[in-house]
Every structure is written in C-alpha cells, then in structure tokens.
Amino acid sequence: MRWSTVADMSAIHEFSEKWREKFNNPAINYIELVDHYLADDCAELGFEMDCGHAFEEKYGNAVYDHEALKAVIDDITDIPLLGSAIYSRWRYFNHWAYSGEEILAPENRAWFIVSLDRLATLAEETPIIFEGTLQKIRLVSNSICYGPCPEPDDEVEQRLTITSEGKVWLSRYRFGSGFDEHELIEKANNSISKEAANEILGAIERYFAVEYVRDMATDIGSWDLELTNTDGKAFTMIGPLCDSQDPTLEVISELIRSRLEREDLFAFDGNPDAVTRIEVKYHRNTKIKPGVVPEGVTWEFVTWDYNEAIIIDRQSETLEHIREIGTGCKITNTYYVQEGVQSLLDDIDVDAFSEIVGNPPDTVDNPLEVMEYSISVFTRHGGERIVTGSFDKNGLPADWPDFIDNIFEFIRFYGLGEIFDEGIYGKAKRRLSDYTFCNVEFEEGGRTYCYLADSDEYSVGDLVVVPAGRDNHEAVARIESIEYHPAEEAPFPIEKTKRIIRKHTT
C-alpha cells in the first residue's frame, strides 16, 4: 500500500496514539489488548500480517526484543513495514503465546510502546504529495478549537467545493445548540469563469504537488481539504486554520476570496481581520503675541494653524504624508510601493492604539497652544475605530512611538532621491590620469582615513579590508566618500598612501 495522503497519516497517527495509551495503562485487562480490535485497526490501515518476516529480515530480532528495537528505532522510516511488525507481534500473543496475559509483561508492553511511538512520529513527519491534474477541491474550514465555547450565532464551519468547470458550492454553519447540532446559515450554488476556477485550482495544485507535512495545533481551528485529480483519485490534507502558519496558503486564501468575490470565506487562514487603512490627523493651533502691534491694529494674537496627516491605504498600496503650513501652503508626498505598504499594514494589529495612559488631572495646559490628534483605523471586516486625544506622551497611544518609528524608517528608506544629493551631482568623472581615493571609517562617527583604490569596483557604503596601524594588520572599514585627484593635487603623497586590499565578504 502506498501512503500518499494525510488521511492515511492522520488515521495512522490516531491508531498509534490510541494503542500506545492502552499499552501504557497499568490497569488495562489483557483481553482488551489481545482481542481482535487491534487486528481490525491494522487491517483497516492496510498493514499486513506476515509473522514479522520482513521486519526480521531487515532488523533482526528487533521484532521480538525490546532492547534490540530501541537500538534501531531511529533508523526505521518504512511505515508499512513497522505497521506490519506491530500487527505480527500482536498476532503472536493473540494466537501462539502460551497465555495472552504474556502481553502484559513489562518488556512486551515496552516493545509496543516504543514501536507505536515511532509510528506516530513517522505519520506526523511524512510529506504528502498530490499527483496528477487537479479537477476538484472540497475544503471544510472549521473555526472551533480548544478554548471558549462559541456563541450559538457564531459562524463555525464552511464547506466549499470548486471544480475546474467553474462550479461552486458553499455551505455555511453557525454553532447553534452544540457541536453536533450546527445550524445552516447559507447554502449557495453558483458558477465562476473557468479561468478563475483554474487559477484557484492551479495555485492549490502547485502548492500540494511539492509536499505537505501534517501540522496541527489545538488552540486554533482546522481545515480539511480533499483534492480529486482527473483520474478520480482523491488526496486528503488537514491543517491549522491560521493566518500566520504559511504565507503561501494566506495568498491562496486571498485568491479564493477574490475570485469568488466573497470576503467572508474562511479558506485556509480563517479570514482574519486586518487593517486596511489608517488615517492619522494632527492639528496644532498656536497663538503668538506679536512684539510690536502696528498702529490702528486691534488684534491681540497672530494664529498659526498647522495640520499634518498620514494616510496608509492597503487597496491603493500608498502612503501619503500631507502638511498644511498655513493658508495657501500644502505639501503632499505620496509613496506607492507594491507589497511594501501592505507589509507595513500587516504589522499593525487591528486593536492597535487601544491603550492610552492619559494625562493626570493636575496637568498644566498652555492656553495659547492646542495640540491634538485623531487616528482612524479601518479593517477588512468593516470595523472602524477612531482614537482622539492630546498630542503628547501621555495623551498618545502607548504603541505610537513604535508605529511612527516604522513610518519614519519607511519614508527615510526612499529618501529625497538623487537630484538633491551633492555626492552625486558634485562628483566629477574620473580622468585617466586621476587616482581614486576612498575615505573610510573604522567605526560609525569616527575619524576618516584615506586609502587608494586600484579599481573602480568600490562604492560609497562598501565594506573593505584595509591595512591598518604600524604593523599593517588587516581591518574592516566602511567607505564614506570617494574622490578623484591627479597626482599633483592628491590629498596625500601617493607613495605614502596605503591601498585597499579587497572588498569585505561576510
């Protein structure tokens, strides 16, 4: 029998856990161990009873002896072979032993426990590979886990079928009155284009045609996937319903929701809520008392009304930084970065900006200046939350410093461009008669030292190996600037200037 699906592996793992627990139970009656139940399970899994001949041929008396089995257990990787050995060893106590009670002997129990433990491990670690061309998928996504019991109206399960012809069936269930009494919320039967269907099936086929290793968790929900190829062969996989488990399955989940135009589908990641847009607005109103008031003027203060905003939007993949410096002066910088803006929002929790310390009652406010902010958070599931307060350490959310530092690093990474960079526009091309001088630092902010370069392969920012000190030991330095000079204008005598040895590679 060829073990090619997680359905097989899951069943084998459950078998191993079930019988390992029985053999570990000191109070168990030997009848329960030697009766036909284990044989029925082995036969259902496809294990063959060969009296241990195949296992003995490969591993010697490990099929009989506990200590011999322990010595080779880590080398055993053949699931059918080990399953056959377990079946055959059980058969000895069921049929040939003087008394079935012998199975309870410590050394015999230990043999079964060790072999079943290894079988469980192999079932967990065996990769699953889909074969052929995918014709249909059936995905059951269930959000129930070991945790608080769902409310009766909570949606807990979805069953989705998609064929290569574009046929789609979807059933959705709420928890209802219990685990076995789910109530139907919706039952839909419609179609999508063949192109859209095959885009989904193609992505799933490519993912599971490499390998899939059973990976489950108890504190989250689960998905159960049946893949049927054009030959009618079915492959079943199971996995955790989790958005952080596998980035590729997250992408496939988004593809399913997009092509079916259903934002409410659990798919493989449970359809977690996510931040889709953040709007930060800052307002400062400052009243400035002028030193000299012109004759005939009645106003007492000059008002400076300043506004600033940051808008991060997942759909447009843009980050906007807007400043309004008084009337008639508005500055807008827009950053469009594919995947970059999405990644920025992925790192922000839907509950961000929820914790604010607040200012104590005896805080002294400046009557001539008001600094305030609002932060609007929009999420995929339609959530909208607005946080407001005074723009100061205690008035801002506790996670504001991390948030704004990330935004600053994002903006700084792209900089102002090269047009304003004197290091670029102020740099003349090297002449044939020029020497290349590199100014390097051994530590950030430290003194710079000048070295000659024998080629044009070096750039500002490169790490290079140079001779340092009186003994000319090799040291690593960073190139801070590069200059070209003819010999007569060299910053140091050519014959006394040390030369870069090579680029530093890590």
Side-chain angles (χ1 to χ4, degrees):
M1 182 174 182
R2 186 169 186 269
W3 309 97
S4 59
T5 73
V6 172
D8 300 326
M9 295 304 110
S10 178
I12 291 170
H13 188 271
E14 290 175 6
F15 162 83
S16 305
E17 294 287 327
K18 168 186 170 182
W19 284 98
R20 182 173 56 184
E21 183 178 342
K22 288 179 180 294
F23 278 97
N24 262 318
N25 182 2
I28 196 167
N29 189 296
Y30 82 95
I31 297 295
E32 189 171 347
L33 297 179
V34 298
D35 210 340
H36 60 85
Y37 304 117
L38 187 143
D40 292 343
D41 288 351
C42 286
E44 187 174 341
L45 291 171
F47 295 143
E48 297 178 358
M49 204 291 292
D50 69 344
C51 299
H53 295 320
F55 194 84
E56 184 178 9
E57 183 178 339
K58 190 168 184 178
Y59 297 108
N61 66 342
V63 74
Y64 312 109
D65 184 76
H66 167 232
E67 293 300 327
L69 179 66
K70 283 202 304 184
V72 300
I73 196 68
D74 290 336
D75 295 328
I76 300 173
T77 58
D78 191 327
I79 288 178
L81 185 68
L82 182 56
S84 174
I86 292 170
Y87 192 179
S88 300
R89 186 67 175 142
W90 168 87
R91 179 61 171 163
Y92 167 79
F93 295 104
N94 165 268
H95 189 71
W96 290 294
Y98 176 76
S99 169
E101 290 187 71
E102 294 179 24
I103 201 170
L104 294 177
E107 65 273 14
N108 295 328
R109 281 187 191 239
W111 188 97
F112 281 102
I113 291 169
V114 169
S115 60
L116 288 164
D117 186 67
R118 180 58 178 169
L119 188 64
T121 299
L122 292 174
E124 285 183 330
E125 295 177 349
T126 301
I128 311 308
I129 300 175
F130 172 77
E131 300 170 345
T133 301
L134 187 55
Q135 184 180 48
K136 182 179 73 172
I137 70 162
R138 184 178 186 273
L139 176 62
V140 179
S141 308
N142 190 298
S143 64
I144 298 177
C145 59
Y146 293 123
C149 184
E151 295 295 326
D153 288 335
D154 288 347
E155 184 171 1
V156 294
E157 185 170 289
Q158 294 180 354
R159 302 172 189 174
L160 175 66
T161 299
I162 305 174
T163 73
S164 58
E165 295 296 314
K167 299 294 184 182
V168 178
W169 292 267
L170 172 65
S171 298
R172 299 168 51 226
Y173 298 85
R174 63 170 61 93
F175 185 66
S177 57
F179 288 90
D180 298 321
E181 301 293 336
H182 296 338
E183 297 175 359
L184 184 66
I185 300 173
E186 175 191 6
K187 192 169 187 178
N189 179 2
N190 56 8
S191 299
I192 57 176
S193 68
K194 288 186 179 181
E195 292 75 16
N198 285 300
E199 188 179 358
I200 295 171
L201 268 59
I204 293 174
E205 178 184 311
R206 287 189 296 273
Y207 180 81
F208 289 102
V210 179
E211 67 175 38
Y212 176 74
V213 178
R214 179 181 186 270
D215 185 15
M216 290 302 299
T218 59
D219 57 343
I220 52 179
S222 63
W223 52 260
D224 190 316
L225 176 68
E226 183 178 85
L227 306 178
T228 305
N229 65 18
T230 50
D231 295 327
K233 184 176 180 180
F235 299 75
T236 306
M237 284 78 170
I238 58 175
L241 195 68
C242 179
D243 63 315
S244 60
Q245 204 74 9
D246 191 319
T248 305
L249 287 180
E250 287 185 59
V251 172
I252 294 175
S253 296
E254 287 296 336
L255 177 65
I256 292 173
R257 285 188 279 266
S258 171
R259 296 300 177 265
L260 269 59
E261 298 182 352
R262 293 288 302 246
E263 288 296 321
D264 57 348
L265 297 180
F266 288 169
F268 295 99
D269 61 4
N271 193 20
D273 206 359
V275 175
T276 55
R277 183 179 174 92
I278 290 179
E279 297 177 0
V280 178
K281 296 179 181 179
Y282 166 69
H283 175 231
R284 176 169 58 80
N285 186 282
T286 305
K287 294 179 179 179
I288 305 170
K289 190 169 185 177
V292 178
V293 179
E295 186 177 349
V297 175
T298 58
W299 43 259
E300 185 178 359
F301 298 100
V302 175
T303 301
W304 185 7
D305 202 52
Y306 176 79
N307 291 279
E308 193 170 350
I310 294 174
I311 302 173
I312 314 171
D313 185 70
R314 184 182 294 271
Q315 184 174 2
S316 62
E317 298 187 89
T318 58
L319 184 153
E320 288 184 275
H321 182 210
I322 305 166
R323 290 180 292 160
E324 293 185 31
I325 308 173
T327 304
C329 182
K330 184 175 182 179
I331 303 164
T332 301
N333 293 312
T334 301
Y335 300 83
Y336 167 67
V337 184
Q338 283 187 336
E339 297 184 4
V341 171
Q342 293 183 358
S343 178
L344 195 63
L345 288 172
D346 285 341
D347 291 335
I348 300 172
D349 193 84
V350 292
D351 296 322
F353 315 118
S354 297
E355 183 182 342
I356 300 175
V357 173
N359 285 297
D362 60 347
T363 298
V364 178
D365 291 321
N366 181 356
L368 299 181
E369 186 171 65
V370 175
M371 300 169 65
E372 55 192 6
Y373 72 90
S374 71
I375 304 173
S376 299
V377 181
F378 303 87
T379 69
R380 173 188 292 159
H381 293 168
E384 180 179 346
R385 187 162 46 86
I386 301 177
V387 180
T388 61
S390 59
F391 196 85
D392 54 69
K393 181 177 181 179
N394 292 326
L396 283 161
D399 48 0
W400 173 263
D402 290 337
F403 167 75
I404 207 64
D405 281 349
N406 289 337
I407 300 300
F408 178 70
E409 289 299 324
F410 183 91
I411 292 174
R412 188 173 70 167
F413 177 81
Y414 296 101
L416 290 174
E418 299 183 359
I419 290 177
F420 301 99
D421 191 345
E422 185 179 0
I424 295 176
Y425 72 72
K427 181 179 177 181
K429 290 186 177 181
R430 186 176 70 85
R431 301 174 62 186
L432 285 174
S433 57
D434 284 345
Y435 288 88
T436 302
F437 294 86
C438 297
N439 298 307
V440 306
E441 281 184 359
F442 291 97
E443 57 183 23
E444 188 174 355
R447 179 181 170 186
T448 59
Y449 298 83
C450 190
Y451 285 83
L452 275 169
D454 292 327
S455 70
D456 293 329
E457 66 174 312
Y458 304 108
S459 302
V460 172
D462 284 350
L463 294 177
V464 292
V465 178
V466 298
R470 292 186 178 182
D471 60 351
N472 288 327
H473 64 275
E474 292 188 358
V476 177
R478 183 182 185 276
I479 298 176
E480 296 299 315
S481 62
I482 299 175
E483 304 173 11
Y484 305 124
H485 299 285
E488 61 274 15
E489 297 178 9
F492 299 97
I494 300 296
E495 65 278 4
K496 293 184 179 181
T497 304
K498 297 180 182 181
R499 296 176 181 271
I500 294 175
I501 299 173
R502 64 181 181 276
K503 278 188 176 182
H504 174 66
T505 56
T506 55

